Amino acid sequence: MSLERSTEQRLLADAATRWIADAEDLPADARWRAIAGFGWLAMLVPEADGGLGQDLADACALAEALGAGPARDPWLPVAVQAAGLLAACTDGALRARWLPALADGAARVVPATCERGGRGRVRSDATRARREADGWVLDGIERTVPGGDGADAWLVGASIGDGELAVFALTPAAPGLHATPVDTVDGGRACRLDLQGVRVGGDARLEGVGAAESARVDDRALVVACAESVGSMDTLLRETVAYLRTRVQFGRPLATNQALRHRVADLAIAVEEARSSALAAVLALDDAARSGDDRAHARAAAGARAKVGTVARRVAEEAIQLHGGMGVTDELRIARHLKRQLALDAMLGAPDWHLRRHATLRTATEATR
């Protein structure tokens, strides 16, 4: 089993790292146009649907580079989650409408399929759909949709009874659908969706996409988020070491303090462990997908996010502490990296929730042996 990036993946990551270092001050629209122009939105879109047909390892290589920013553009929900849901759809007309437009940046499609938030339970106001004539009626609330502000379409997950999930493509023009802009902790843009008797035709449903397909897409997003966190940790570690080498206190650099050197060494080891966990998760998901083992697929993603998310939070908090009072200011990127990790936890679930999920899945697997 190889945990090394391919030559093409290293070149992709190098190019993305150089771009994100220069693009920090670009307006959000200009950044998004550039991301689309580079083909980064098309990575996981099948070639038959106007995309590049690349794999999860390629997406993770890019995510690690974007994490150095830290990334505040909705690349993850659009290029990984929305693209994954649409690619799983068996309705050719719906795929033709949205996938090519998503791939070239002409339309921003954002998922609103679940709100984990570390709780793992269905809310009383969660979106539900019921049949009516030849269409559907949706009611409920999606409290926070990352990247959803200004979207051309939302992929809304709704319960249709008996634990079954359906996903619907909704546009801002849908009667009864109200989107309210929301700021996220990491400086990104989200929205709240209120659905009050939203009526859509039968062709709005993503046929072939249910709870199992949605869960597999979420698992892939978790692993991509792990790669992004690793990129963030790399930057935090590098900038912290540079600060300790240049900050002079009592006539000598802080880096000469043995206790601080030990702390940084521990962080460096933790970052490499997290990197290995993220890379191993890519291989595990590929193996599980080939064998059709959904439980192994979910277990690998949950375990990786539990490990990497915990380490990312620790590294960010330690970096802030080692920078002293300056670490919490917006003038330094350190605090922004911590905020991005908090945003990922809110979007995909906190590490402790995934740890419990991993334990449950592991117990269930052992019980069947």
Side-chain angles (χ1 to χ4, degrees), residues 115-133:
E115 290 185 38
R116 293 180 191 266
R119 294 179 292 274
R121 62 174 182 266
V122 178
R123 306 188 324 268
S124 60
D125 59 356
T127 304
R128 290 174 168 78
R130 67 179 188 275
R131 280 278 192 184
E132 186 173 279

Side-chain angles (χ1 to χ4, degrees), residues 79-121:
V80 180
Q81 291 175 287
L85 290 170
L86 287 167
C89 177
T90 57
D91 184 336
L94 213 158
R95 290 169 67 107
R97 179 180 180 186
W98 293 114
L99 273 174
L102 182 153
D104 64 15
R108 184 179 299 188
V109 186
V110 178
T113 52
C114 67
E115 290 185 38
R116 293 180 191 266
R119 294 179 292 274
R121 62 174 182 266

Side-chain angles (χ1 to χ4, degrees), residues 83-320:
L85 290 170
L86 287 167
C89 177
T90 57
D91 184 336
L94 213 158
R95 290 169 67 107
R97 179 180 180 186
W98 293 114
L99 273 174
L102 182 153
D104 64 15
R108 184 179 299 188
V109 186
V110 178
T113 52
C114 67
E115 290 185 38
R116 293 180 191 266
R119 294 179 292 274
R121 62 174 182 266
V122 178
R123 306 188 324 268
S124 60
D125 59 356
T127 304
R128 290 174 168 78
R130 67 179 188 275
R131 280 278 192 184
E132 186 173 279
D134 58 349
W136 295 85
V137 180
L138 284 73
D139 290 280
I141 297 173
E142 298 295 333
R143 293 177 180 171
T144 306
V145 181
D149 185 30
D152 297 288
W154 299 277
L155 304 181
V156 178
S159 170
I160 56 176
D162 297 327
E164 191 176 353
L165 176 79
V167 179
F168 300 86
L170 305 182
T171 65
L177 177 62
H178 304 280
T180 305
V182 176
D183 291 324
T184 59
V185 67
D186 61 340
R189 298 289 292 167
C191 75
R192 168 191 168 113
L193 291 181
D194 289 271
L195 300 96
Q196 302 172 6
V198 177
R199 286 176 167 77
V200 295
D203 58 352
R205 181 179 177 180
L206 272 65
E207 295 294 339
V209 179
E213 292 75 19
S214 181
R216 284 194 289 271
V217 170
D218 283 346
D219 290 341
R220 289 165 65 85
L222 285 172
V223 175
V224 174
C226 287
E228 181 187 322
S229 294
V230 169
S232 176
M233 287 186 273
D234 272 340
T235 297
L236 287 167
L237 187 61
R238 183 172 58 255
E239 293 190 359
T240 300
V241 169
Y243 174 77
L244 295 178
R245 286 175 174 170
T246 56
R247 177 73 165 89
V248 175
Q249 192 175 63
F250 303 116
R252 62 177 187 171
L254 287 175
T256 62
N257 186 306
Q258 190 174 32
L260 297 184
R261 293 167 69 93
H262 287 169
R263 286 175 66 178
V264 171
D266 288 343
L267 293 180
I269 292 171
V271 171
E272 289 307 311
E273 290 176 347
R275 189 191 314 279
S276 296
S277 296
L279 291 170
V282 174
L283 300 177
L285 257 66
D286 286 344
D287 288 343
R290 281 193 293 269
S291 64
D293 190 339
D294 285 346
R295 188 176 291 165
H297 197 273
R299 189 171 67 247
R305 189 59 203 167
K307 169 69 175 180
V308 177
T310 300
V311 174
R313 181 76 173 267
R314 175 193 167 195
V315 171
E317 290 175 346
E318 287 268 7
I320 288 175

